[in-house]
Amino acid sequence: MRNFFSDLHFESKDFTKQPFMKAEYENCTFRNCSFEYTDLSGCHFNDCEFSGCNLSMVKLVSAAFRKVEFRECKMFGMPFNDCNEFGLSFIFDGCLLNNSVFYKTSVKKTVFRNSKLTEADFSEADLSNAIFSNCDLSGAVFDLTNLEEADFRTSYNYSIDPSLNRLKKAKFSVSEVHGLLRYLDIEIDRNS
């Protein structure tokens, strides 16, 4: 039988030095905790919030995130593609998601706000209706990605090949549209 914890608050815990209990966590908050390289495989997080945590390089095999918010978290190299996809939903606000992997994940309507997604891998993911608000997407990989109705209007440094991705009704700003055109091998005069 799986352990179950509800309505708990974890503050400044270092799970790199003490084991993290594999369990189901509901309506729990994790503030300023370190999970770096921790094995969260099989854990379930429902309606939880992580704030100011370091989750870099964690293991997520069959981990479940349902209605989870990450705020100001360091999340380098997180393999979201290993997660349990059932009900997978989260919000990222002010997070560092560099080199994180969303390969083939279905994360429709996900909100990425004020986050850095340098070299994140979104290949073959379903990001339809996702919102990228004020995000740095330098080197992020979009390959056979569903971006229909996604909103990139305030984000920057993205490079998306329109011939390889689904972009119907996606929103982009005029100032960053060059991120869609660089694959066409044309010259854009930014001074005109």
Side-chain angles (χ1 to χ4, degrees):
M1 181 175 222
R2 174 185 291 279
N3 291 317
F4 179 80
F5 299 102
S6 180
D7 301 304
L8 295 179
H9 178 75
F10 299 87
E11 179 89 33
S12 302
K13 299 285 186 191
D14 188 348
F15 296 110
T16 65
K17 295 182 178 165
Q18 62 188 44
F20 185 77
M21 184 172 290
K22 291 193 186 300
E24 184 168 347
Y25 296 86
E26 185 170 297
N27 201 34
C28 293
T29 57
F30 300 87
R31 294 211 192 299
N32 302 314
C33 295
S34 181
F35 293 89
E36 193 170 24
Y37 292 97
T38 299
D39 188 353
L40 299 179
S41 297
C43 293
H44 289 202
F45 300 95
N46 303 308
D47 295 303
C48 292
E49 181 182 322
F50 293 82
S51 181
C53 295
N54 182 352
L55 294 128
S56 296
M57 305 303 292
V58 296
K59 291 181 184 172
L60 296 175
V61 176
S62 298
F65 292 98
R66 298 180 182 114
K67 295 183 183 175
V68 174
E69 292 190 33
F70 296 98
R71 299 185 183 286
E72 305 294 328
C73 290
K74 183 178 177 184
M75 308 171 79
F76 293 162
M78 282 190 69
F80 291 103
N81 58 315
D82 290 340
C83 290
N84 178 338
E85 277 203 33
F86 180 74
L88 190 63
S89 64
F90 23 58
I91 293 173
F92 301 96
D93 191 354
C95 293
L96 299 173
L97 287 148
N98 300 354
N99 300 102
S100 288
V101 180
F102 294 86
Y103 175 70
K104 286 192 174 182
T105 58
S106 180
V107 286
K108 299 174 184 180
K109 299 182 181 179
T110 297
V111 175
F112 298 89
R113 187 180 304 120
N114 303 315
S115 295
K116 190 167 178 111
L117 294 138
T118 302
E119 296 184 14
D121 184 359
F122 294 106
S123 298
E124 298 183 45
D126 186 348
L127 287 160
S128 54
N129 295 101
I131 297 172
F132 291 88
S133 177
N134 194 38
C135 291
D136 183 354
L137 293 157
S138 300
V141 177
F142 297 95
D143 186 21
L144 302 176
T145 307
N146 182 352
L147 298 169
E148 292 178 352
E149 299 188 50
D151 189 343
F152 289 88
R153 288 179 292 182
T154 58
S155 288
Y156 48 94
N157 294 331
Y158 52 80
S159 183
I160 301 170
D161 187 339
S163 68
L164 296 178
N165 297 283
R166 293 169 52 187
L167 297 173
K168 187 175 182 180
K169 297 193 178 184
K171 298 171 185 78
F172 300 93
S173 68
V174 170
S175 63
E176 290 294 321
V177 77
H178 58 86
L180 296 171
L181 301 176
R182 69 176 44 121
Y183 290 96
L184 300 176
D185 196 26
I186 60 176
E187 289 185 34
I188 301 167
D189 184 355
R190 292 185 187 228
N191 297 321
S192 59

